[in-house]
Amino acid sequence: ENEQTAGEETDDLHLCVDQGGAETYFVLCDEYDLVESVRARTLAVLEQCGFQLERQEEPLTTEDFRLSIQRRFLDPTATCHDQQVFNNSLLYLRFKKPGTKDDYETLEEVAPGIDFQYDYHGNVRKKEESKAD
């Protein structure tokens, strides 16, 4: 599961997973863990807390939600490091909308009142977006 080479030090990541301002969960992982592993750990935390969606008929699976940083969904097959998930990153828990195949909650639904202008943390502009002198 981890891609680091023998003897290479890795960092533990303490992640905050926000569920619409209603709850914040904390997940510990390694920077070279796959995002899918973080989703599985998040699911375990949800199960421990007794979390249930309205009208939920079957137990939750990792297919029932996605994690995002700002507007960007995380790729479950990539590592946290590759997806720029760092220590103390704030991830948003976005559940699949009932009766849909691949339609998930929007950030406006999960975090109302927050203006997400960028796909990444902070107000970082890409080089081509920066102002010309």
Side-chain angles (χ1 to χ4, degrees):
E1 185 172 307
N2 291 344
E3 294 180 9
Q4 78 267 16
T5 57
E8 182 179 334
E9 272 197 44
T10 62
D11 291 327
D12 286 337
L13 304 178
H14 299 262
L15 306 177
C16 300
V17 180
D18 189 53
Q19 195 263 316
E23 295 287 336
T24 301
Y25 306 98
F26 297 92
V27 178
L28 179 65
C29 67
D30 183 88
E31 67 177 315
Y32 289 101
D33 282 348
L34 295 178
V35 170
E36 183 60 30
S37 174
V38 176
R39 286 173 60 188
R41 289 180 186 162
T42 302
L43 178 61
V45 169
L46 292 173
E47 289 171 344
Q48 288 173 1
C49 294
F51 178 85
Q52 261 194 301
L53 291 172
E54 290 181 29
R55 301 182 300 271
Q56 178 183 332
E57 296 175 7
E58 297 180 15
L60 278 177
T61 70
T62 57
E63 297 301 314
D64 293 323
F65 64 90
R66 293 185 73 183
L67 297 172
S68 71
I69 291 183
Q70 305 276 6
R71 295 182 294 185
R72 182 174 54 87
F73 279 119
L74 299 180
D75 177 357
T77 63
T79 66
C80 291
H81 182 269
D82 292 342
Q83 291 288 286
Q84 298 183 351
V85 175
F86 304 114
N87 196 35
N88 295 323
S89 288
L90 175 59
L91 305 181
Y92 290 93
L93 183 59
R94 296 164 66 178
F95 288 101
K96 189 182 294 183
K97 291 184 178 181
T100 67
K101 183 178 179 186
D102 287 317
D103 194 14
Y104 293 84
E105 295 171 315
T106 65
L107 271 179
E108 290 74 23
E109 292 169 312
V110 172
I114 298 176
D115 183 20
F116 295 99
Q117 295 180 3
Y118 301 94
D119 293 343
Y120 300 93
H121 295 296
N123 295 333
V124 178
R125 292 179 183 224
K126 294 180 182 174
K127 260 188 176 169
E128 62 270 13
E129 292 178 4
S130 57
K131 291 171 132 182
D133 292 324

